Amino acid sequence: MASEQREKIIRFYKGTEGEETVVKLVDLAEAVQRSQKFRLSGFLDPYEQEIAETVAANYEQLRVDFDGGYPGAERARAMFVHTAFPGTPTGFDLACVEARWQAQFARLSHRDVLGALLSLGIERSCLGDLLVSNDRVKIVCVRKMADYLLQNLTRIGAAGVEVQETGLDTIAPKEERCKEIRATVASLRVDSIAASGFGCSRSRAASDIAADKMKLNWQPVKNAAQNVKAGDVLSLRGRGRLEVAEVRGQTKKGRTVVVLKRYL
């Protein structure tokens, strides 16, 4: 029965961006069922967190909790816990490392920071949110990575950095600015919605899709002609996120009325 359950879940995600993730999460879930204790995943993006919830829902006496280190975190670790476990899980094993640079000499982006960290041989699953501001970045990571970063992270891009460990409680809850956009579109194609929400032409949106800069529900957009629906989330590298809040009726000219929320 367990084998059939495993194959059923993995088959559902076969051929998708979540195929590799679901195998790892099913392995964790089954380990928890055998031990009747708990296990932690690496950091998961929102799409992968949905996979974790699906896995937990398909196994009896299993629940899943998430923690990304601070309220509103996008990336988070999943903890599978057996309901028969009598104790209290020891926690999500998280840390926060802060790197500072001289802002007058360098302007660093999220991409610069991530590139520097990956170049150190750190796996993405060991890294949570990277909170970049004018002269510093707070790096949420698994606890075992904190000392490694303190010893090895000396530069980001061309800028030298000073690194120290700080408490997770120094991270302010994420406050996103949101702009509501009401628009009429020719269709619910992803390039049409992106053009209205991000304020660009459809051809530019199609170019961003071709350049792998756009994601739909945290998965790469494969085709500009792909349709979206209410509740879907588009993200464009360097431009933020766009939620399809509502899909309303059509105008007399056959265009579709949509309400979009642009997060800046």
Side-chain angles (χ1 to χ4, degrees):
M1 180 65 72
S3 177
E4 292 179 5
Q5 189 73 353
R6 175 189 180 87
E7 293 306 314
K8 174 185 173 183
I9 300 170
I10 293 175
R11 187 168 58 248
F12 181 79
Y13 288 98
K14 190 172 182 61
T16 72
E17 294 291 324
E19 183 174 1
E20 183 177 342
T21 298
V22 75
V23 172
K24 294 178 181 178
L25 293 176
V26 166
D27 286 344
L28 282 179
E30 294 189 343
V32 171
Q33 280 216 315
R34 290 191 298 270
S35 68
Q36 295 193 354
K37 295 182 180 179
F38 64 94
R39 290 287 182 91
L40 279 169
S41 75
F43 281 97
L44 307 173
D45 65 27
Y47 172 61
E48 292 168 328
Q49 291 168 39
E50 290 180 3
I51 296 176
E53 290 177 334
T54 299
V55 170
N58 279 275
Y59 284 90
E60 293 183 357
Q61 294 185 296
L62 201 69
R63 78 169 195 267
V64 63
D65 301 320
F66 299 97
D67 192 344
Y70 69 101
E74 183 171 289
R75 294 176 61 80
R77 300 188 77 177
M79 180 187 287
F80 290 110
V81 184
H82 199 281
T83 56
F85 178 60
T88 301
T90 54
F92 284 81
D93 202 25
L94 304 176
C96 179
V97 172
E98 182 179 86
R100 297 190 182 193
W101 57 87
Q102 295 186 12
Q104 63 266 40
F105 299 123
R107 294 184 63 183
L108 301 178
S109 67
H110 182 281
R111 191 174 185 180
D112 295 324
V113 175
L114 181 58
L117 296 173
L118 297 181
S119 71
L120 293 176
I122 301 173
E123 294 183 2
R124 188 67 177 100
S125 61
C126 292
L127 301 169
D129 286 358
L130 309 177
L131 305 165
V132 183
S133 56
N134 186 47
D135 64 348
R136 71 192 66 187
V137 57
K138 288 183 181 290
I139 303 165
V140 182
C141 61
V142 298
R143 164 59 56 188
K144 66 181 180 181
M145 276 294 118
D147 286 342
Y148 183 79
L149 288 172
L150 294 175
Q151 295 172 14
N152 294 279
L153 182 60
T154 58
R155 302 192 70 82
I156 298 176
V161 295
E162 295 182 359
V163 183
Q164 64 177 351
E165 185 171 353
T166 62
L168 291 165
D169 57 1
T170 66
I171 303 175
K174 183 176 290 186
E175 294 183 6
E176 294 182 301
R177 291 179 295 146
C178 176
K179 176 183 178 183
E180 187 172 278
I181 301 168
R182 297 172 185 267
T184 60
V185 293
S187 72
L188 292 176
R189 285 172 47 126
V190 66
D191 57 349
S192 180
I193 295 295
S196 294
F198 291 115
C200 62
S201 65
R202 285 183 64 175
S203 61
R204 173 58 187 273
S207 295
D208 287 334
I209 291 169
D212 200 25
K213 293 182 178 180
M214 194 176 299
K215 291 187 177 183
L216 175 60
N217 297 328
W218 296 277
Q219 300 179 77
V221 178
K222 301 295 186 181
N223 192 321
Q226 186 175 346
N227 280 342
V228 302
K229 63 184 183 302
D232 283 349
V233 176
L234 280 170
S235 56
L236 178 59
R237 188 187 304 160
R239 299 291 301 278
R241 291 186 293 113
L242 183 70
E243 178 187 349
V244 184
E246 295 181 53
V247 176
R248 297 181 175 177
Q250 292 190 328
T251 67
K252 292 181 179 180
K253 294 184 178 181
R255 293 176 65 85
T256 302
V257 180
V258 294
V259 179
L260 309 174
K261 290 184 178 180
R262 170 88 179 275
Y263 295 91
L264 307 172

